[in-house]
Every structure is written in C-alpha cells, then in structure tokens.
Amino acid sequence: MSISTIQYEELFRSNHKNLCRLANRIVNDRAGAEDIVQDVFLKVWNSRDTIQTDRPLGGYLYTATTNTALNYLESISRLNKYRKEYQPSNEEKTSQDISLKELQSEVQKALDRMPPKCKVIFVLSRFEELRYKQIAEQLNISVKTVENQMGKALEIMREELKPFLTREFLIIAATAGLSALLHFLSLLLIILQVNRNF
Amino acid sequence: MEPKYWDLIAKKLSGEITAEEDRELNSWLQSDSNAQTFKQVSKLWENTEDPSRDYTPDAETEWQKLQAKINQPKVLFLKRYWLKMAASILLLLGLTYLLSTLFKTSGGATLVEVVTTDSVMVVYLPDSSRVYLNKNTTLTYPEAFNSNERLVFLNGEGFFEVIPGNVPFIIACNGTRTKVLGTSFNIKGYEEDEEVEVIVVTGHVELSDEDDSSSKIVLEPNDRGAFNKKHSGISKSKNTRKDFKWWAKHDLEKDIKKIIRKVKRKIK
C-alpha cells in the first residue's frame, strides 16, 4: 500500500499544527520546530511506497517528530559545548524581587539547559500530558528510566533556580548572623566593664 | 537528598503517584526542610510555561516549502553528486602534485630519510661520503646525487667525512648551508637548539645563512662556526672543545669491542 498525493496533503494539513507545537515544546525555537516537521514529512514522502497504511499514521508522525527534535537538541547541546557559551550567573539577581513573568522565563532557561533526553521526557509529561507509560513507549525506554529522568529534571531545575528560591532563607540567615554579632559585642562590653570594675 | 524522593515528587506533580508511594512521600514531608523543598519544586512546576501556548504555525507557507523540496530532490542529488565527484578528483590531483614536489627535489630523485633515536649510526652516502649520526638525528639525502651539487638535509648532529669531488657538497641544517668540496667536520644543529655549530677537522668549509648567501664565513681546521637562529648571525671562533667527536667514537668503540670479543670466542 502506498500513499497517494492527496492522502499525503491531507496528512500534512491535519497534523502540521500539532507536530509543530510538539517540536517547539521540545526545542523552544519556532523556526527550528518548523524545520523538524518539514524533515519528518520529507521522510514520509521518500518512503511513501513502502510505508504501512493499514494503521493510522498519527502515531508514527508523533514518534518521528519527537525523535527528530531530540536529535536536534543533542546536536545543539554538542555545539554549545564547543562554543562554551556562558550563561550570566543567576547570583546577581538574588537581592532583587523578581516578577512572576521573570520566574517563568528563568524556569524556561533552566529547562533549555537540561540534558536533551531529560528535557524531552519532562516536556512530554508536563506539556503533552502523556502518562509515564506512553513516554516510555514513545522513546523506547523503560518506565523506570522515565521516573528517574523526571526526578532528575526537578532536581536540576531546583539546583539551577536556587538563588531565586532561597532568597527568604538568605535574609533570615543574614539577620541571624547580625544578631549573633550583636550578642557577641554586648558580651564583650560586659566583660570589659567587669574587668574595669576590678 | 536521595534521588528516590525527587522521583516521588515528580510522580506526585505529574499525577503518577500510587497510594503507597503517596504515604511514603507524606511521611518524608514531616520534616520542615523537606516540606520547604517540596514547596519550592511545586512552585517551579507551576511556573513552567508551555512554549507553544500561543503558537500557530503557518501551514500554507510550510506546505509550499515542502512542495518545493519534494519536486526537485532528484536534480539536487545529481548536482551535488557531480560536485562532490569533481571536488574529490581535484583534491586528489592537488595532493599528488603537492607530494611529488615535496619528495622530488634534487632533480626528481627519490629522497632517503635516516632517523636515529637512541643510538649512533654510520651512513654511507651515494658518493661514498661517510656520516656518523648522533642520537635523535634525521638525515635526508637523495638516492642519487645530481650533477651540479650534493645536497643533504640534517636535523641534529652529524660528523661528516666528505669524499673529494667536482661538485660541492652542501648540508642544509636549520637555516644554514654548509658548503665543502672534500673534508671532515662536525655539524650540530638540533631543531630545538639556539644555534647551529660547525667544527672543522680537515680541509675548508663554507658556512652561510640559507636565506642570505652573502652572509658567509670560511672555516679552517679547528675553527668553530656558529649560526644563531634568533638573530640569523654567523660567527667564527677557535674550537676549544676537544671532545666534539667523542659521541661518534664512543658508540663505535663499544661496537668494536663487541666484535673483538666475538672473534676471540670463534678463534678459541
């Protein structure tokens, strides 16, 4: 069974939007997402004579897009390793109050810095709202791996955004330090007084 | 913090947690610092924003682009294929030319390269001249000398005993040219040395800068000529080193002793 030109166009038009949105969630780059989907459809066209049409092609397209996007992320992260791009440190912002919008953009940045596979799993769970089992099937890995990678994603995210999260703690710590110092000074004064009296 | 609890938090937030796991997580949350961590992570989870929330790709433009790619892939492939073929043939030709010019100096003769590492060696050149090569030295010479010069390349130290001939014998060594007709002398010029040193034993030797043949000196027996690589300056002085040829004899003596011992054994 092969795909006719009409079937092909129908396949494109009915899936294009969702696949672009899926790819964009993974790579967070709209132009990149559109290129990825073009690649997927080109692959379908080139194998149109051998492709199995007895099953709906939606699942195949979904998997192909996920994997192509993952490869894209991996090649980019390899490139960035060579360039050694340094992200400005979050440390500077600790003293300021950040808005919700800023926090969201920081979270997205942390997501973009995650290892590709970890990020894809997180995105599929969080935004595509797939079950762990579905993610495992999609990426051909075990459910246990999905669990571990999800936990790892949270750990990385918390680690990266610690400066924003522990602000309150810092203030408490600073106050505690100051009061300890005052305490010490007053003790010192008392001792001096006592000495002078003798 | 144990990775297990990260996994449990992730399960809780994504709705994958089982009743039993939920109980385990709850007991872990009894500690204040754990509860704080959980609060922080939940806040982050809530603040992840879907990058595709207000994204609607332009399907029409993308379809046109795809059509353009689909309708001419064969031609593109052919063009690229021929381009690649042409490029590799050109590359091959270029490489062949480069290699042939590199290895065929001195009138197209093949070059011989002798390399010593941790022992001294004696080399006989095509004109029967003899060269002792010190350790870590490279000597390159043509399989047959051409009719107007006997040119060899030295990197390291060598003691030359040049057979007299009608054409000059030239040693190119790290920026210098040493020109002779027939004599014996020592040249020391390792790549890492600051200077190239020539000490003459018999006959006359002409030492010159490779790039500037007007800058030259003539050395006589027991003269020491030196070429400073940094300043490209040539100087001449009397040789004070008596042991300059020692390295060449030293190993040979050992070899000769070995041979004598072997011969003695045979005679017995």
Side-chain angles (χ1 to χ4, degrees):
Chain A
M1 279 287 271
S2 69
I3 307 174
S4 71
T5 318
I6 296 162
Q7 279 173 317
Y8 182 70
E9 182 165 357
E10 209 181 274
L11 198 67
F12 180 89
R13 293 200 184 274
S14 55
N15 289 288
H16 183 259
K17 184 182 169 187
N18 281 337
L19 295 178
C20 278
R21 286 165 67 98
L22 164 68
N24 181 51
R25 279 171 186 145
I26 297 172
V27 301
N28 192 24
D29 166 13
R30 293 179 183 189
E34 280 155 20
D35 286 346
I36 288 165
V37 176
Q38 289 264 333
D39 273 6
V40 170
F41 276 104
L42 213 55
K43 231 182 274 171
V44 173
W45 179 258
N46 289 335
S47 51
R48 65 188 180 282
D49 294 329
T50 50
I51 219 155
Q52 297 288 318
T53 45
D54 43 353
R55 262 181 294 168
L57 277 170
Y60 167 79
L61 290 174
Y62 198 94
T63 311
T65 305
T66 310
N67 287 319
T68 312
L70 179 60
N71 290 340
Y72 179 92
L73 267 195
E74 274 167 353
S75 63
I76 282 186
S77 79
R78 234 173 291 139
L79 208 70
N80 284 344
K81 248 180 226 161
Y82 280 119
R83 285 199 199 132
K84 285 213 172 109
E85 276 182 67
Y86 272 95
Q87 305 288 337
S89 167
N90 287 334
E91 232 68 49
E92 292 152 28
K93 277 196 166 180
T94 49
S95 57
Q96 298 162 15
D97 255 327
I98 53 161
S99 67
L100 197 67
K101 196 77 210 155
E102 267 182 296
L103 180 65
Q104 281 172 350
S105 104
E106 290 301 327
V107 171
Q108 186 58 49
K109 277 186 208 161
L111 263 174
D112 288 340
R113 286 195 292 265
M114 267 183 207
K117 204 153 200 176
C118 198
K119 186 190 180 189
V120 172
I121 290 166
F122 183 84
V123 163
L124 290 180
S125 164
R126 181 75 181 104
F127 304 127
E128 293 291 321
E129 295 177 347
L130 297 189
R131 313 291 305 169
Y132 279 12
K133 200 165 162 275
Q134 290 171 300
I135 298 172
E137 280 164 11
Q138 198 66 242
L139 296 173
N140 204 13
I141 51 180
S142 70
V143 175
K144 194 76 207 154
T145 308
V146 177
E147 284 178 17
N148 296 340
Q149 292 291 313
M150 282 298 287
K152 199 177 148 205
L154 291 186
E155 188 181 353
I156 292 173
M157 212 150 70
R158 162 122 177 306
E159 200 52 45
E160 291 252 330
L161 294 168
K162 227 173 191 166
F164 299 99
L165 295 167
T166 49
R167 215 168 54 246
E168 297 93 325
F169 284 133
L170 281 177
I171 295 163
I172 294 163
T175 334
L178 199 68
S179 72
L181 189 71
L182 282 173
H183 202 76
F184 173 74
L185 281 176
S186 59
L187 260 173
L188 203 72
L189 273 174
I190 292 165
I191 292 165
L192 284 175
Q193 287 273 315
V194 170
N195 272 351
R196 202 173 289 169
N197 287 346
F198 271 103
Chain B
M1 185 166 146
E2 268 181 73
K4 183 173 91 175
Y5 292 106
W6 288 113
D7 297 355
L8 284 181
I9 296 174
K11 281 184 159 182
K12 173 87 177 172
L13 293 173
S14 57
E16 293 275 337
I17 203 155
T18 62
E20 193 191 332
E21 286 168 336
D22 203 21
R23 273 195 296 280
E24 191 183 351
L25 183 65
N26 276 330
S27 74
W28 180 77
L29 286 175
Q30 292 310 306
S31 134
D32 275 353
S33 71
N34 290 347
Q36 183 72 29
T37 306
F38 182 75
K39 229 174 90 185
Q40 288 172 348
V41 177
S42 314
K43 193 177 170 193
L44 290 180
W45 179 272
E46 283 158 21
N47 281 294
T48 47
E49 209 192 3
D50 181 0
S52 293
R53 204 170 44 112
D54 48 4
Y55 170 42
T56 316
D58 183 353
E60 198 47 53
T61 315
E62 291 298 309
W63 173 248
Q64 298 300 336
K65 262 205 259 175
L66 188 62
Q67 285 299 299
K69 282 181 199 165
I70 284 170
N71 288 331
Q72 35 162 275
K74 283 249 160 71
V75 182
L76 251 168
F77 175 72
L78 205 69
K79 262 189 198 160
R80 276 201 205 138
Y81 178 73
W82 282 109
L83 219 67
K84 274 181 195 164
M85 280 286 276
S88 37
I89 289 169
L90 261 171
L91 196 74
L92 212 72
L93 283 174
L95 260 171
T96 319
Y97 175 73
L98 197 75
L99 285 174
S100 65
T101 46
L102 269 177
F103 287 102
K104 284 191 178 175
T105 54
S106 346
T110 318
L111 290 181
V112 179
E113 190 178 74
V114 181
V115 181
T116 61
T117 52
D118 52 359
S119 65
V120 172
M121 194 176 173
V122 185
V123 178
Y124 286 90
L125 298 176
D127 64 342
S128 304
S129 292
R130 185 157 61 170
V131 190
Y132 297 88
L133 294 180
N134 203 349
K135 293 166 185 176
N136 301 314
T137 295
T138 307
L139 179 76
T140 313
Y141 60 93
E143 227 170 27
F145 285 125
N146 67 14
S147 54
N148 46 35
E149 63 178 12
R150 294 175 277 172
L151 179 66
V152 302
F153 302 89
L154 177 78
N155 183 11
E157 185 167 18
F159 185 84
F160 288 79
E161 288 172 345
V162 176
I163 298 287
N166 293 327
V167 295
F169 189 98
I170 299 166
I171 298 135
C173 175
N174 282 308
T176 63
R177 278 177 168 250
T178 305
K179 193 164 134 190
V180 299
L181 283 168
T183 84
S184 62
F185 54 94
N186 188 69
I187 297 190
K188 186 182 163 203
Y190 286 98
E191 207 171 352
E192 63 274 16
D193 283 352
E194 228 166 79
E195 52 176 33
V196 177
E197 177 199 80
V198 180
I199 295 170
V200 178
V201 178
T202 58
H204 287 75
V205 170
E206 189 185 285
L207 175 65
S208 67
D209 186 337
E210 195 174 49
D211 303 322
D212 177 15
S213 54
S214 65
S215 154
K216 62 183 173 191
I217 49 168
V218 174
L219 302 170
E220 293 181 342
N222 217 24
D223 273 349
R224 176 184 181 274
F227 171 79
N228 188 299
K229 285 188 207 163
K230 243 189 224 160
H231 318 109
S232 297
I234 292 187
S235 59
K236 182 167 132 179
S237 60
K238 280 284 158 212
N239 175 41
T240 47
R241 266 175 69 195
K242 294 286 175 221
D243 63 333
F244 66 91
K245 227 193 104 183
W246 177 82
W247 61 265
K249 278 168 75 188
H250 181 68
D251 259 30
L252 276 183
E253 270 170 14
K254 255 201 219 159
D255 292 345
I256 290 167
K257 274 181 193 158
K258 256 190 219 162
I259 292 165
I260 291 171
R261 249 183 279 139
K262 273 190 183 164
V263 172
K264 272 184 181 167
R265 239 179 274 148
K266 289 264 175 197
I267 292 169
K268 273 178 195 170

